């Protein structure tokens, strides 16, 4: 099978006498699925040597590109050999298409967090106020909440809980911000999750009646998946809003 012979090639290069024990070569294969039925599939193969990105194959573009003089030369050569292209198509079928059901299942389990922003402590002159930004009923587990003051990230006075399992599948997460209110400032809580194609921002509005305060949501967006599946298990990747299926060689 092509996938295995590819890994075997890596093994040989690691054994080569040209390299010291500290040198390593890494290949990452990623499948990105897009569209409601995962009908748009993109296969990206990247090779790195000692963390320096060397080459990238993109199935949509249909060719390799190199990032160093040496790898540019190799890319140009590989792009001319029809067999290399067929090999990439076979890999794409094995790695991306053969796993589409598994990835869809995980994708179907993914749930966008519902968000609440509320104050847990009103300022009383000397003491700062405290806000809590909560995410409920989301899956998968990894989530990031960032506090913004006038659109700048705030790190001081922030504390987070762990993602707390709720029931069999879902999680909840709370982030606290202790701050001294200043008039005219805008405090917001930004949520990033794999099910959100862009961060969701909730603006704190102190002048709204209690109960209305948590309903202002800016930048709500559709659902795109972003899961990483390593061959050894499931881990997911938050960045790209796409499903990745990676072979990792370290
Ligand atoms: C792959 O190539 C296509 C076409 O050039 C481009 O739209 C896409 O963003 C590329 N994907 C990545 C991950 O760079
Ligand atoms: C995932 O959900 C879609 C849309 O509801 C459905 O068509 C598909 O069969 C589901 N796939 C799996 C593997 O559960
Ligand atoms: C807060 O709510 C009030 C009353 O609805 C509104 O007039 C004001 O523009 C809101 N402020 C922000 C920052 O959204």
């Amino acid at each position: 099978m092509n996938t295995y012979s590819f890994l075997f090639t890596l093994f040989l290069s690691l054994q080569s006498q040209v390299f010291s024990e500290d040198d390593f070569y890494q290949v990452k294969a990623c499948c990105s699925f897009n569209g409601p039925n995962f009908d748009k599939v993109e296969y990206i193969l990247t090779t790195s040597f000692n963390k320096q990105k060397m080459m990238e194959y993109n199935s949509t573009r249909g060719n390799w590109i190199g990032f160093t003089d040496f790898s540019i030369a190799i890319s140009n050569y590989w792009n001319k050999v029809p067999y290399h292209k067929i090999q990439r198509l076979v890999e794409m079928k094995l790695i991306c298409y053969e796993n589409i059901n598994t990835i869809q299942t995980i994708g179907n389990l993914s749930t966008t967090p519902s968000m609440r922003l509320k104050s847990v402590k009103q300022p009383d002159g000397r003491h700062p106020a405290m806000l809590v930004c909560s995410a409920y009923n989301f899956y998968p587990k990894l989530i990031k909440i960032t506090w913004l003051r006038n659109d700048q990230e705030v790190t001081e006075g922030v504390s987070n809980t762990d993602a707390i399992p709720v029931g069999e599948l879902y999680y909840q997460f709370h982030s606290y911000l202790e701050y001294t209110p200043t008039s005219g400032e805008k405090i917001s809580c930004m949520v990033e999750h794999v099910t959100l194609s862009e961060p969701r921002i909730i603006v704190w509005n102190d002048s709204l009646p209690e109960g209305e305060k948590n309903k202002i949501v800016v930048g709500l967006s559709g659902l795109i998946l972003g899961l990483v599946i390593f061959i050894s298990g499931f881990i997911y990747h938050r960045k790209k809003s796409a499903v990745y299926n990676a072979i990792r060689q370290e």
Side-chain angles (χ1 to χ4, degrees), residues 186 203-205 207-208 216:
K186 185 173 95 179
V203 180
W204 173 244
N205 189 337
S207 52
L208 286 179
I216 300 174

Side-chain angles (χ1 to χ4, degrees), residues 10 13 36 128-129 142 177 179 188 217 233:
L10 298 180
S13 53
L142 194 62
L177 174 71
Y179 75 114
S188 37
V217 175

Side-chain angles (χ1 to χ4, degrees), residues 7-249:
L7 292 172
F8 185 61
T9 313
L10 298 180
F11 180 73
L12 284 181
S13 53
L14 285 173
Q15 294 301 304
S16 157
Q17 294 185 344
V18 185
F19 304 122
S20 78
E21 286 196 344
D22 294 333
D23 290 326
F24 66 94
Y25 179 66
Q26 184 182 51
V27 175
K28 281 188 192 161
C30 297
C31 305
S32 306
F33 299 88
N34 231 317
N37 298 311
F38 288 61
D39 22 32
K40 260 188 68 195
V41 180
E42 187 175 86
Y43 175 58
I44 307 285
L45 199 60
T46 27
T47 70
S48 321
F49 184 65
N50 293 340
K51 291 188 180 160
Q52 149 101 53
K53 192 169 164 184
M54 303 286 283
M55 286 167 67
E56 180 192 89
Y57 178 83
N58 174 331
S59 66
T60 312
R61 212 173 48 224
N63 62 11
W64 285 97
I65 49 172
F67 302 101
T68 62
D69 291 348
F70 173 68
S71 54
I72 287 168
I74 296 190
S75 299
N76 291 340
Y77 172 71
W78 281 5
N79 288 337
K80 285 185 205 128
V81 182
Y83 174 70
H84 280 284
K85 196 157 183 171
I86 294 167
Q87 205 176 11
R88 298 293 87 79
L89 288 174
V90 172
E91 276 164 18
M92 183 171 170
K93 183 172 182 312
L94 285 174
I95 298 172
C96 306
Y97 290 98
E98 298 282 306
N99 287 315
I100 212 160
N101 272 346
T102 315
I103 291 162
Q104 254 187 348
T105 305
I106 296 169
N108 286 359
L109 295 174
S110 297
T111 314
T112 306
S114 45
M115 301 300 306
R116 293 279 177 280
L117 176 58
K118 60 178 190 187
S119 86
V120 282
K121 205 171 78 181
Q122 297 294 343
D124 61 358
R126 280 180 308 131
H127 294 104
M130 190 182 268
L131 299 179
V132 57
C133 183
S134 306
Y136 297 99
N137 296 329
F138 58 90
Y139 180 87
K141 186 179 178 182
L142 194 62
I143 195 163
K144 186 178 178 199
I145 289 184
T146 313
W147 290 95
L148 305 171
R149 169 180 264 150
N150 298 327
D151 300 326
Q152 300 293 311
E153 184 174 347
V154 182
T155 49
E156 212 168 297
V158 174
S159 53
N160 295 316
T161 62
D162 291 329
I164 305 155
V166 182
E168 289 194 349
L169 188 59
Y170 300 118
Y171 290 91
Q172 56 171 272
F173 181 86
H174 308 277
S175 181
Y176 297 87
L177 174 71
E178 204 174 13
Y179 75 114
T180 310
T182 321
S183 75
E185 74 184 347
K186 185 173 95 179
I187 301 281
S188 37
C189 149
M190 181 170 79
V191 188
E192 291 167 85
H193 188 254
V194 75
T195 54
L196 299 168
S197 61
E198 53 189 65
R200 181 186 286 189
I201 295 171
I202 307 166
V203 180
W204 173 244
N205 189 337
D206 213 12
S207 52
L208 286 179
E210 209 55 60
E212 288 295 311
K213 281 181 180 171
N214 47 39
K215 290 195 182 149
I216 300 174
V217 175
V218 183
L220 210 156
S221 46
L223 186 138
I224 298 181
L225 303 168
L227 302 166
V228 175
I229 297 175
F230 289 129
I231 283 209
S232 55
F234 295 119
I235 294 175
Y236 77 85
H237 190 277
R238 198 172 39 78
K239 265 193 194 148
K240 267 273 168 161
S241 300
V243 177
Y244 286 85
N245 184 335
I247 299 178
R248 215 155 68 132
Q249 186 74 10

